[in-house]
Coordinates of all heavy atoms in Angstrom, one line a residue:
T1 N 42.1 -3.2 41.3 CA 40.9 -3.0 40.8 C 41.0 -2.6 39.3 O 41.9 -2.1 38.8 CB 39.9 -2.0 41.4 OG1 40.6 -0.6 41.3 CG2 40.0 -2.3 42.9
T2 N 39.8 -2.8 38.5 CA 39.7 -2.4 37.1 C 38.5 -1.6 36.8 O 37.5 -1.9 37.4 CB 39.8 -3.6 36.2 OG1 38.7 -4.6 36.5 CG2 41.1 -4.4 36.4
A3 N 38.6 -0.7 35.9 CA 37.5 0.1 35.4 C 37.6 0.2 33.9 O 38.3 1.1 33.4 CB 37.4 1.5 36.0
L4 N 37.0 -0.8 33.2 CA 37.3 -1.0 31.8 C 36.1 -0.4 30.9 O 34.9 -0.8 31.1 CB 37.4 -2.5 31.5 CG 38.5 -3.2 32.3 CD1 38.6 -4.6 32.0 CD2 39.9 -2.5 32.2
A5 N 36.3 0.4 30.0 CA 35.4 1.1 29.3 C 34.8 0.1 28.3 O 35.6 -0.7 27.6 CB 36.0 2.3 28.5
G6 N 33.5 0.2 28.0 CA 32.9 -0.8 27.1 C 33.0 -0.3 25.6 O 32.7 -1.2 24.7
N7 N 33.4 0.8 25.3 CA 33.4 1.3 23.9 C 34.7 1.4 23.4 O 35.1 2.2 22.5 CB 32.7 2.7 23.9 CG 33.4 3.7 24.7 OD1 34.2 3.3 25.5 ND2 33.1 4.9 24.4
C8 N 35.8 0.6 23.9 CA 37.2 0.7 23.4 C 37.3 0.3 21.9 O 36.7 -0.8 21.6 CB 38.1 -0.1 24.3 SG 38.5 0.7 25.9
S9 N 38.0 1.0 21.2 CA 38.2 0.7 19.8 C 39.0 -0.5 19.7 O 39.9 -0.7 20.5 CB 38.8 1.9 19.0 OG 37.9 3.0 19.1
P10 N 38.9 -1.4 18.5 CA 39.7 -2.4 18.4 C 41.2 -2.1 18.1 O 41.5 -1.0 17.6 CB 39.2 -3.2 17.2 CG 38.4 -2.1 16.5 CD 37.9 -1.2 17.5
L11 N 42.1 -2.9 18.5 CA 43.5 -2.7 18.2 C 44.1 -3.7 17.3 O 43.7 -4.9 17.3 CB 44.3 -2.7 19.5 CG 44.0 -1.7 20.6 CD1 44.9 -2.0 21.9 CD2 44.4 -0.3 20.1
L12 N 45.0 -3.3 16.5 CA 45.9 -4.3 15.7 C 47.3 -4.2 16.4 O 48.0 -3.3 16.2 CB 46.0 -3.9 14.2 CG 44.9 -4.4 13.4 CD1 45.1 -3.9 11.9 CD2 44.8 -6.0 13.4
A13 N 47.6 -5.3 17.2 CA 48.8 -5.2 18.1 C 49.3 -6.4 18.3 O 48.7 -7.5 18.0 CB 48.5 -4.4 19.3
D14 N 50.5 -6.5 19.0 CA 51.0 -7.8 19.3 C 50.6 -8.2 20.8 O 51.0 -7.4 21.7 CB 52.6 -7.7 19.3 CG 53.3 -9.1 19.5 OD1 52.9 -9.9 20.4 OD2 54.3 -9.3 18.7
P15 N 49.7 -9.1 21.0 CA 49.2 -9.4 22.3 C 50.2 -9.7 23.4 O 50.2 -9.3 24.6 CB 48.2 -10.5 22.1 CG 48.7 -11.2 20.8 CD 49.2 -10.1 20.0
Q16 N 51.3 -10.4 22.9 CA 52.4 -10.8 23.9 C 53.1 -9.6 24.4 O 53.4 -9.5 25.5 CB 53.3 -11.8 23.2 CG 52.6 -13.3 23.0 CD 53.6 -14.2 22.5 OE1 54.8 -14.0 22.1 NE2 53.4 -15.5 22.6
L17 N 53.5 -8.7 23.4 CA 54.2 -7.5 23.8 C 53.3 -6.6 24.7 O 53.8 -6.1 25.6 CB 54.7 -6.7 22.5 CG 55.8 -7.5 21.7 CD1 56.1 -6.6 20.5 CD2 57.0 -7.7 22.6
L18 N 52.1 -6.4 24.3 CA 51.2 -5.6 25.1 C 51.0 -6.2 26.5 O 50.9 -5.5 27.5 CB 49.9 -5.4 24.4 CG 49.8 -4.5 23.3 CD1 48.3 -4.3 22.8 CD2 50.5 -3.2 23.7
S19 N 50.8 -7.6 26.6 CA 50.8 -8.1 27.9 C 52.1 -7.8 28.8 O 52.0 -7.6 30.0 CB 50.6 -9.7 27.7 OG 49.4 -10.0 27.2
R20 N 53.2 -7.9 28.1 CA 54.4 -7.6 28.7 C 54.4 -6.2 29.3 O 54.9 -5.9 30.4 CB 55.6 -7.8 27.9 CG 56.9 -7.7 28.4 CD 57.6 -9.0 28.9 NE 57.2 -10.1 28.1 CZ 57.9 -10.6 27.1 NH1 58.9 -9.8 26.6 NH2 57.6 -11.7 26.5
A21 N 54.0 -5.2 28.4 CA 54.1 -3.8 28.8 C 53.1 -3.5 30.0 O 53.5 -3.0 31.0 CB 53.7 -3.0 27.6
I22 N 51.9 -4.0 29.9 CA 50.9 -3.8 31.0 C 51.4 -4.5 32.2 O 51.2 -4.1 33.3 CB 49.5 -4.1 30.5 CG1 49.1 -3.3 29.4 CG2 48.5 -4.0 31.6 CD1 47.8 -3.8 28.6
G23 N 51.9 -5.7 32.1 CA 52.4 -6.5 33.2 C 53.5 -5.8 33.9 O 53.5 -5.8 35.1
N24 N 54.5 -5.1 33.1 CA 55.5 -4.4 33.7 C 55.1 -3.2 34.5 O 55.4 -2.8 35.6 CB 56.5 -4.0 32.7 CG 57.5 -5.0 32.2 OD1 57.5 -6.2 32.7 ND2 58.1 -4.8 31.1

C-alpha cells in the first residue's frame, strides 16, 4: 500500500538511481 503526501517538496535527483534505491 502507499500513503503519499500531497505537499512533498520538489527534488533535484537522478530518477534512475532513486528508482533503484526505493526498488531495493
Side-chain angles (χ1 to χ4, degrees):
T1 65
T2 59
L4 309 179
N7 61 340
C8 284
S9 303
L11 297 176
L12 275 179
D14 189 317
Q16 291 185 342
L17 291 180
L18 283 190
S19 296
R20 184 89 40 80
I22 298 172
N24 283 351

